[in-house]
Amino acid sequence: MIRINNLTKDYGATRALDGVSFSVNRGEILGLLGPNGAGKTTTMRIVTGYLTPTAGSVEVQDMDVADNPLEVKRLIGYLPEFAPLYADMVVHDYLQYVAAVRRIEPGRRGGRIRAMTELCGLGDVIHRPFRELSRGYKQRVGLAHAMLSDPDILILDEPTSGLDPNQIVEIRSIIKEAGREKTVIFSTHILSEVETTCDRIVIINRGRVAADGTADVVKARALSGTAVRLALLDAPLDDVQRHLMAVHGVNSVVRVLDAPLPVAGALLVEVSCSGQNLRELYAAIKARDWVVVGLNSEGHSLEDTFRELTGAAGDGAAAGADGKAGEESA
Amino acid sequence: MSSAFFRVVWRELRAAFGSPVAYIVTVIFLTVTGWFFFTPFFLNGRADLREFFRLLPMTLGLVVPAVTMRVFAEEFSTGSYEVLTTLPMTRFDVLLGKFTGSLLFILLMLVPTLAYPIIVATLGDLDPGPVVGGYLGTILLAALYCSVGLFASALTKNQIVAFIIGLALCAFLVLIDKVLFFIPPSLTGVLQYLGADYHFGNVAKGVIDSRDVVYFLSATFVGLYATNLVVERRI
């Protein structure tokens, strides 16, 4: 159980976090989302005790991180971004070293290391120096390092970044498996990953929590409206727009040109309408003698939600994150 | 001392012996000290180690920064310091472990020089007092240089820069009492007291004065304290 209260962190004059609060329950997998520079890594670093917050506090199992750093560090397995482990050490020796620092009894160390080797698929690289490993193996050694002492809490900073699709699936299944009894916080750019892996989502933007809840709740909260696609015959665009815009609750009526038409010569429009006014919209369509050849409502994806919550200002940072997210999930 | 402390010491020693820099530095150190010691040895015709200990503050001042330059700079440049501090160990485990590991490495490097007193003792009548004092002083001096070297290493991510800063600081400690005649007489007492070479010279004569021991211990402490401050500021 982790409780984050009103966390604020300043780096010089820049405010990286501005009153971030959320909590994670035992056995929950929490996905931390946000564009680059939003404050995900800073939040994780404060929870793990690497950074001290300018204001606010973090409680891990009712212990304040600032007051009991050692006890909290014993409870947390942490994988920083890019898994910066000792490059000169052989993987097995490194895991031995971590086992000793984490005070695993000498008799149990071998067993734990074998278990992690198997879980993370390190059999082929266990006797090789860390620096010689590929990106994917480095990430897996990092996961083994974080889970070695079987900690109650796992904090993983972008555990799947830079991996190929097969490796992403493997790591995701390890996280999901671990999340059955552990509390997991992980950050990512890949939105589909959050939907498939996480119990809950927190979206951080510009140092503030922009949304907090399950994937469905977050989506519903972000987008109040529904998009309805209409394909019509014998309907001039200006006529359609005039009539539909008059309906209460309709925000926009836009012609769609880049989608395939169900019938040649049809007019395809997208009507953005609030969820409560769909009946009025239908009545308005029925009242005209247009031939309706297609009608479907578009569900919103998490990508849309993310864009709406974080890209509203249209700044470079958010656009960059969007680009990366789209490219990785593609 | 916690078990984490010993793990850090062990890891530092392994890292030092695992890198070629350590072996190169050791070879250079032993060659240079051996050459400078034995070349005038038979000309002087005295059975003592005075020449060896006279040059030691300079040679160690060159060697220790080369050994310690990696210690913090590498952690900061690879980001592994983040992993280290989020493992269940305190900052003092890390700092003192790294200090002890570096010091142990330097002392192991000095072990082969024990051959000199043994050889000299077979050649003539060696007075053991200055030799024991000299080696005790060497331990104190190595500790001071290690704390200075760690401080230099903590200042930067670049190992070369760390080496040069460490070298400059060690050279300052050695040379400060050599330039006293350029300095107003009212300051000479203070500056002489700051010089590591001066105190080392006293101990190496076989006179173990508490003032010299206090100097080395307090200067080492100041170095470690400054290192701790720098490390704290970096994250």
Side-chain angles (χ1 to χ4, degrees), chain A residues 132-164:
Chain A
E132 290 177 6
L133 305 186
S134 68
R135 183 86 181 76
Y137 271 119
K138 282 185 178 170
Q139 207 68 34
R140 288 197 229 177
V141 176
L143 264 183
H145 139 95
M147 298 198 294
L148 187 63
S149 64
D150 201 15
D152 290 345
I153 298 163
L154 279 180
I155 296 185
L156 312 169
D157 197 354
E158 302 200 10
T160 55
S161 78
L163 304 186
D164 69 41

mmCIF file of all heavy atoms in Angstrom, chain A residues 132-164:
data_model
loop_
_atom_site.group_PDB
_atom_site.id
_atom_site.type_symbol
_atom_site.label_atom_id
_atom_site.label_comp_id
_atom_site.label_asym_id
_atom_site.label_seq_id
_atom_site.Cartn_x
_atom_site.Cartn_y
_atom_site.Cartn_z
ATOM 1 N N GLU A 132 27.939 -6.519 -21.945
ATOM 2 C CA GLU A 132 27.881 -7.195 -23.251
ATOM 3 C C GLU A 132 26.460 -7.578 -23.658
ATOM 4 O O GLU A 132 26.246 -8.067 -24.749
ATOM 5 C CB GLU A 132 28.729 -8.467 -23.213
ATOM 6 C CG GLU A 132 30.214 -8.195 -23.154
ATOM 7 C CD GLU A 132 31.022 -9.477 -23.048
ATOM 8 O OE1 GLU A 132 30.430 -10.571 -23.140
ATOM 9 O OE2 GLU A 132 32.238 -9.362 -22.872
ATOM 10 N N LEU A 133 25.498 -7.384 -22.754
ATOM 11 C CA LEU A 133 24.150 -7.861 -23.045
ATOM 12 C C LEU A 133 23.405 -6.911 -23.979
ATOM 13 O O LEU A 133 23.700 -5.716 -24.037
ATOM 14 C CB LEU A 133 23.344 -7.996 -21.750
ATOM 15 C CG LEU A 133 23.960 -8.859 -20.659
ATOM 16 C CD1 LEU A 133 22.987 -9.019 -19.522
ATOM 17 C CD2 LEU A 133 24.359 -10.213 -21.198
ATOM 18 N N SER A 134 22.413 -7.473 -24.685
ATOM 19 C CA SER A 134 21.561 -6.645 -25.535
ATOM 20 C C SER A 134 20.587 -5.879 -24.640
ATOM 21 O O SER A 134 20.422 -6.189 -23.459
ATOM 22 C CB SER A 134 20.792 -7.529 -26.508
ATOM 23 O OG SER A 134 19.868 -8.310 -25.787
ATOM 24 N N ARG A 135 19.931 -4.906 -25.246
ATOM 25 C CA ARG A 135 18.993 -4.052 -24.514
ATOM 26 C C ARG A 135 17.930 -4.892 -23.781
ATOM 27 O O ARG A 135 17.625 -4.646 -22.625
ATOM 28 C CB ARG A 135 18.342 -3.122 -25.525
ATOM 29 C CG ARG A 135 17.387 -2.119 -24.984
ATOM 30 C CD ARG A 135 18.130 -0.883 -24.553
ATOM 31 N NE ARG A 135 17.180 0.080 -24.012
ATOM 32 C CZ ARG A 135 16.634 -0.007 -22.814
ATOM 33 N NH1 ARG A 135 16.931 -1.017 -22.023
ATOM 34 N NH2 ARG A 135 15.781 0.907 -22.391
ATOM 35 N N GLY A 136 17.388 -5.866 -24.474
ATOM 36 C CA GLY A 136 16.318 -6.675 -23.896
ATOM 37 C C GLY A 136 16.802 -7.484 -22.696
ATOM 38 O O GLY A 136 16.129 -7.570 -21.675
ATOM 39 N N TYR A 137 18.005 -8.065 -22.823
ATOM 40 C CA TYR A 137 18.537 -8.839 -21.705
ATOM 41 C C TYR A 137 18.880 -7.936 -20.524
ATOM 42 O O TYR A 137 18.679 -8.306 -19.365
ATOM 43 C CB TYR A 137 19.770 -9.636 -22.151
ATOM 44 C CG TYR A 137 19.415 -10.996 -22.695
ATOM 45 C CD1 TYR A 137 19.715 -11.351 -24.006
ATOM 46 C CD2 TYR A 137 18.774 -11.924 -21.886
ATOM 47 C CE1 TYR A 137 19.376 -12.591 -24.499
ATOM 48 C CE2 TYR A 137 18.437 -13.176 -22.369
ATOM 49 C CZ TYR A 137 18.733 -13.508 -23.681
ATOM 50 O OH TYR A 137 18.394 -14.729 -24.166
ATOM 51 N N LYS A 138 19.396 -6.752 -20.817
ATOM 52 C CA LYS A 138 19.697 -5.811 -19.725
ATOM 53 C C LYS A 138 18.434 -5.519 -18.931
ATOM 54 O O LYS A 138 18.429 -5.506 -17.702
ATOM 55 C CB LYS A 138 20.260 -4.500 -20.284
ATOM 56 C CG LYS A 138 21.706 -4.601 -20.682
ATOM 57 C CD LYS A 138 22.269 -3.272 -21.122
ATOM 58 C CE LYS A 138 23.737 -3.449 -21.448
ATOM 59 N NZ LYS A 138 24.340 -2.305 -22.099
ATOM 60 N N GLN A 139 17.347 -5.295 -19.679
ATOM 61 C CA GLN A 139 16.081 -4.989 -19.039
ATOM 62 C C GLN A 139 15.611 -6.174 -18.175
ATOM 63 O O GLN A 139 15.123 -5.990 -17.075
ATOM 64 C CB GLN A 139 15.054 -4.685 -20.141
ATOM 65 C CG GLN A 139 13.953 -3.769 -19.709
ATOM 66 C CD GLN A 139 14.438 -2.366 -19.449
ATOM 67 O OE1 GLN A 139 15.340 -1.877 -20.110
ATOM 68 N NE2 GLN A 139 13.862 -1.714 -18.464
ATOM 69 N N ARG A 140 15.841 -7.381 -18.680
ATOM 70 C CA ARG A 140 15.410 -8.560 -17.924
ATOM 71 C C ARG A 140 16.258 -8.756 -16.685
ATOM 72 O O ARG A 140 15.750 -9.153 -15.636
ATOM 73 C CB ARG A 140 15.528 -9.805 -18.803
ATOM 74 C CG ARG A 140 14.475 -9.822 -19.872
ATOM 75 C CD ARG A 140 14.382 -11.209 -20.406
ATOM 76 N NE ARG A 140 14.431 -11.205 -21.864
ATOM 77 C CZ ARG A 140 14.416 -12.319 -22.566
ATOM 78 N NH1 ARG A 140 14.415 -13.479 -21.960
ATOM 79 N NH2 ARG A 140 14.441 -12.257 -23.870
ATOM 80 N N VAL A 141 17.572 -8.486 -16.804
ATOM 81 C CA VAL A 141 18.425 -8.571 -15.608
ATOM 82 C C VAL A 141 17.959 -7.538 -14.588
ATOM 83 O O VAL A 141 17.898 -7.811 -13.381
ATOM 84 C CB VAL A 141 19.914 -8.339 -15.970
ATOM 85 C CG1 VAL A 141 20.770 -8.325 -14.712
ATOM 86 C CG2 VAL A 141 20.408 -9.409 -16.913
ATOM 87 N N GLY A 142 17.574 -6.357 -15.098
ATOM 88 C CA GLY A 142 17.056 -5.326 -14.206
ATOM 89 C C GLY A 142 15.808 -5.789 -13.466
ATOM 90 O O GLY A 142 15.654 -5.542 -12.273
ATOM 91 N N LEU A 143 14.940 -6.494 -14.192
ATOM 92 C CA LEU A 143 13.731 -7.028 -13.549
ATOM 93 C C LEU A 143 14.099 -8.076 -12.498
ATOM 94 O O LEU A 143 13.548 -8.084 -11.394
ATOM 95 C CB LEU A 143 12.835 -7.682 -14.592
ATOM 96 C CG LEU A 143 11.698 -6.858 -15.172
ATOM 97 C CD1 LEU A 143 10.905 -7.728 -16.133
ATOM 98 C CD2 LEU A 143 10.769 -6.351 -14.086
ATOM 99 N N ALA A 144 15.049 -8.939 -12.836
ATOM 100 C CA ALA A 144 15.488 -9.967 -11.888
ATOM 101 C C ALA A 144 16.068 -9.299 -10.639
ATOM 102 O O ALA A 144 15.806 -9.718 -9.512
ATOM 103 C CB ALA A 144 16.536 -10.873 -12.538
ATOM 104 N N HIS A 145 16.845 -8.245 -10.864
ATOM 105 C CA HIS A 145 17.441 -7.491 -9.755
ATOM 106 C C HIS A 145 16.352 -6.903 -8.848
ATOM 107 O O HIS A 145 16.452 -6.959 -7.633
ATOM 108 C CB HIS A 145 18.345 -6.391 -10.342
ATOM 109 C CG HIS A 145 18.281 -5.067 -9.672
ATOM 110 N ND1 HIS A 145 19.174 -4.704 -8.693
ATOM 111 C CD2 HIS A 145 17.429 -4.032 -9.813
ATOM 112 C CE1 HIS A 145 18.871 -3.494 -8.265
ATOM 113 N NE2 HIS A 145 17.825 -3.050 -8.932
ATOM 114 N N ALA A 146 15.279 -6.391 -9.481
ATOM 115 C CA ALA A 146 14.218 -5.764 -8.680
ATOM 116 C C ALA A 146 13.410 -6.808 -7.904
ATOM 117 O O ALA A 146 12.970 -6.542 -6.789
ATOM 118 C CB ALA A 146 13.302 -4.956 -9.597
ATOM 119 N N MET A 147 13.246 -7.998 -8.479
ATOM 120 C CA MET A 147 12.354 -8.980 -7.858
ATOM 121 C C MET A 147 13.098 -9.996 -7.005
ATOM 122 O O MET A 147 12.480 -10.861 -6.398
ATOM 123 C CB MET A 147 11.561 -9.706 -8.952
ATOM 124 C CG MET A 147 10.683 -8.773 -9.747
ATOM 125 S SD MET A 147 9.392 -9.614 -10.653
ATOM 126 C CE MET A 147 10.319 -10.539 -11.828
ATOM 127 N N LEU A 148 14.424 -9.898 -6.965
ATOM 128 C CA LEU A 148 15.243 -10.948 -6.347
ATOM 129 C C LEU A 148 14.835 -11.251 -4.908
ATOM 130 O O LEU A 148 14.709 -12.409 -4.523
ATOM 131 C CB LEU A 148 16.719 -10.531 -6.409
ATOM 132 C CG LEU A 148 17.720 -11.586 -5.969
ATOM 133 C CD1 LEU A 148 17.660 -12.783 -6.888
ATOM 134 C CD2 LEU A 148 19.125 -11.014 -5.989
ATOM 135 N N SER A 149 14.627 -10.215 -4.124
ATOM 136 C CA SER A 149 14.347 -10.457 -2.702
ATOM 137 C C SER A 149 12.853 -10.648 -2.453
ATOM 138 O O SER A 149 12.417 -10.621 -1.314
ATOM 139 C CB SER A 149 14.876 -9.299 -1.873
ATOM 140 O OG SER A 149 14.176 -8.126 -2.203
ATOM 141 N N ASP A 150 12.086 -10.829 -3.526
ATOM 142 C CA ASP A 150 10.644 -11.015 -3.416
ATOM 143 C C ASP A 150 9.996 -9.865 -2.649
ATOM 144 O O ASP A 150 9.276 -10.083 -1.669
ATOM 145 C CB ASP A 150 10.349 -12.355 -2.716
ATOM 146 C CG ASP A 150 8.946 -12.835 -3.038
ATOM 147 O OD1 ASP A 150 8.350 -12.296 -3.992
ATOM 148 O OD2 ASP A 150 8.447 -13.710 -2.323
ATOM 149 N N PRO A 151 10.259 -8.627 -3.050
ATOM 150 C CA PRO A 151 9.730 -7.484 -2.300
ATOM 151 C C PRO A 151 8.223 -7.348 -2.493
ATOM 152 O O PRO A 151 7.677 -7.845 -3.483
ATOM 153 C CB PRO A 151 10.458 -6.288 -2.922
ATOM 154 C CG PRO A 151 10.750 -6.714 -4.313
ATOM 155 C CD PRO A 151 10.960 -8.198 -4.276
ATOM 156 N N ASP A 152 7.563 -6.684 -1.541
ATOM 157 C CA ASP A 152 6.111 -6.511 -1.627
ATOM 158 C C ASP A 152 5.719 -5.520 -2.717
ATOM 159 O O ASP A 152 4.612 -5.546 -3.221
ATOM 160 C CB ASP A 152 5.559 -5.989 -0.291
ATOM 161 C CG ASP A 152 5.630 -7.057 0.775
ATOM 162 O OD1 ASP A 152 5.828 -8.224 0.403
ATOM 163 O OD2 ASP A 152 5.506 -6.732 1.965
ATOM 164 N N ILE A 153 6.644 -4.617 -3.012
ATOM 165 C CA ILE A 153 6.330 -3.534 -3.944
ATOM 166 C C ILE A 153 7.352 -3.523 -5.075
ATOM 167 O O ILE A 153 8.551 -3.635 -4.834
ATOM 168 C CB ILE A 153 6.357 -2.180 -3.203
ATOM 169 C CG1 ILE A 153 5.286 -2.161 -2.117
ATOM 170 C CG2 ILE A 153 6.177 -1.017 -4.167
ATOM 171 C CD1 ILE A 153 5.478 -1.083 -1.106
ATOM 172 N N LEU A 154 6.855 -3.399 -6.309
ATOM 173 C CA LEU A 154 7.752 -3.277 -7.459
ATOM 174 C C LEU A 154 7.512 -1.925 -8.105
ATOM 175 O O LEU A 154 6.367 -1.557 -8.372
ATOM 176 C CB LEU A 154 7.459 -4.362 -8.490
ATOM 177 C CG LEU A 154 8.045 -5.751 -8.271
ATOM 178 C CD1 LEU A 154 7.613 -6.646 -9.418
ATOM 179 C CD2 LEU A 154 9.556 -5.683 -8.191
ATOM 180 N N ILE A 155 8.597 -1.187 -8.329
ATOM 181 C CA ILE A 155 8.479 0.081 -9.034
ATOM 182 C C ILE A 155 9.367 0.000 -10.264
ATOM 183 O O ILE A 155 10.572 -0.195 -10.157
ATOM 184 C CB ILE A 155 8.876 1.247 -8.108
ATOM 185 C CG1 ILE A 155 7.872 1.284 -6.952
ATOM 186 C CG2 ILE A 155 8.894 2.563 -8.874
ATOM 187 C CD1 ILE A 155 8.044 2.428 -6.025
ATOM 188 N N LEU A 156 8.743 0.094 -11.436
ATOM 189 C CA LEU A 156 9.460 -0.154 -12.684
ATOM 190 C C LEU A 156 9.309 1.059 -13.589
ATOM 191 O O LEU A 156 8.197 1.414 -13.977
ATOM 192 C CB LEU A 156 8.897 -1.401 -13.371
ATOM 193 C CG LEU A 156 8.713 -2.633 -12.482
ATOM 194 C CD1 LEU A 156 7.900 -3.703 -13.195
ATOM 195 C CD2 LEU A 156 10.046 -3.192 -12.041
ATOM 196 N N ASP A 157 10.424 1.668 -13.925
ATOM 197 C CA ASP A 157 10.381 2.865 -14.765
ATOM 198 C C ASP A 157 10.600 2.446 -16.217
ATOM 199 O O ASP A 157 11.703 2.075 -16.597
ATOM 200 C CB ASP A 157 11.449 3.858 -14.305
ATOM 201 C CG ASP A 157 11.182 5.253 -14.842
ATOM 202 O OD1 ASP A 157 10.251 5.408 -15.653
ATOM 203 O OD2 ASP A 157 11.904 6.188 -14.441
ATOM 204 N N GLU A 158 9.545 2.517 -17.007
ATOM 205 C CA GLU A 158 9.563 2.138 -18.418
ATOM 206 C C GLU A 158 10.254 0.801 -18.652
ATOM 207 O O GLU A 158 11.257 0.727 -19.363
ATOM 208 C CB GLU A 158 10.219 3.238 -19.253
ATOM 209 C CG GLU A 158 9.460 4.525 -19.062
ATOM 210 C CD GLU A 158 9.690 5.529 -20.169
ATOM 211 O OE1 GLU A 158 10.302 5.158 -21.180
ATOM 212 O OE2 GLU A 158 9.238 6.658 -20.016
ATOM 213 N N PRO A 159 9.700 -0.262 -18.067
ATOM 214 C CA PRO A 159 10.361 -1.568 -18.192
ATOM 215 C C PRO A 159 10.356 -2.115 -19.609
ATOM 216 O O PRO A 159 11.155 -2.975 -19.926
ATOM 217 C CB PRO A 159 9.555 -2.470 -17.258
ATOM 218 C CG PRO A 159 8.233 -1.819 -17.140
ATOM 219 C CD PRO A 159 8.468 -0.357 -17.268
ATOM 220 N N THR A 160 9.472 -1.617 -20.472
ATOM 221 C CA THR A 160 9.407 -2.192 -21.817
ATOM 222 C C THR A 160 9.944 -1.262 -22.897
ATOM 223 O O THR A 160 9.860 -1.597 -24.075
ATOM 224 C CB THR A 160 7.951 -2.544 -22.181
ATOM 225 O OG1 THR A 160 7.163 -1.376 -22.021
ATOM 226 C CG2 THR A 160 7.414 -3.636 -21.301
ATOM 227 N N SER A 161 10.529 -0.131 -22.497
ATOM 228 C CA SER A 161 10.971 0.793 -23.549
ATOM 229 C C SER A 161 12.182 0.218 -24.270
ATOM 230 O O SER A 161 13.068 -0.371 -23.665
ATOM 231 C CB SER A 161 11.302 2.159 -22.954
ATOM 232 O OG SER A 161 12.548 2.134 -22.328
ATOM 233 N N GLY A 162 12.196 0.377 -25.562
ATOM 234 C CA GLY A 162 13.326 -0.070 -26.364
ATOM 235 C C GLY A 162 13.373 -1.566 -26.627
ATOM 236 O O GLY A 162 14.386 -2.078 -27.089
ATOM 237 N N LEU A 163 12.316 -2.274 -26.308
ATOM 238 C CA LEU A 163 12.320 -3.717 -26.546
ATOM 239 C C LEU A 163 11.526 -4.052 -27.809
ATOM 240 O O LEU A 163 10.685 -3.270 -28.246
ATOM 241 C CB LEU A 163 11.688 -4.441 -25.356
ATOM 242 C CG LEU A 163 12.321 -4.171 -24.001
ATOM 243 C CD1 LEU A 163 11.692 -5.069 -22.956
ATOM 244 C CD2 LEU A 163 13.814 -4.401 -24.042
ATOM 245 N N ASP A 164 11.811 -5.226 -28.363
ATOM 246 C CA ASP A 164 11.025 -5.627 -29.532
ATOM 247 C C ASP A 164 9.689 -6.230 -29.063
ATOM 248 O O ASP A 164 9.530 -6.547 -27.892
ATOM 249 C CB ASP A 164 11.834 -6.567 -30.442
ATOM 250 C CG ASP A 164 12.071 -7.928 -29.823
ATOM 251 O OD1 ASP A 164 11.142 -8.475 -29.193
ATOM 252 O OD2 ASP A 164 13.188 -8.444 -29.963
#
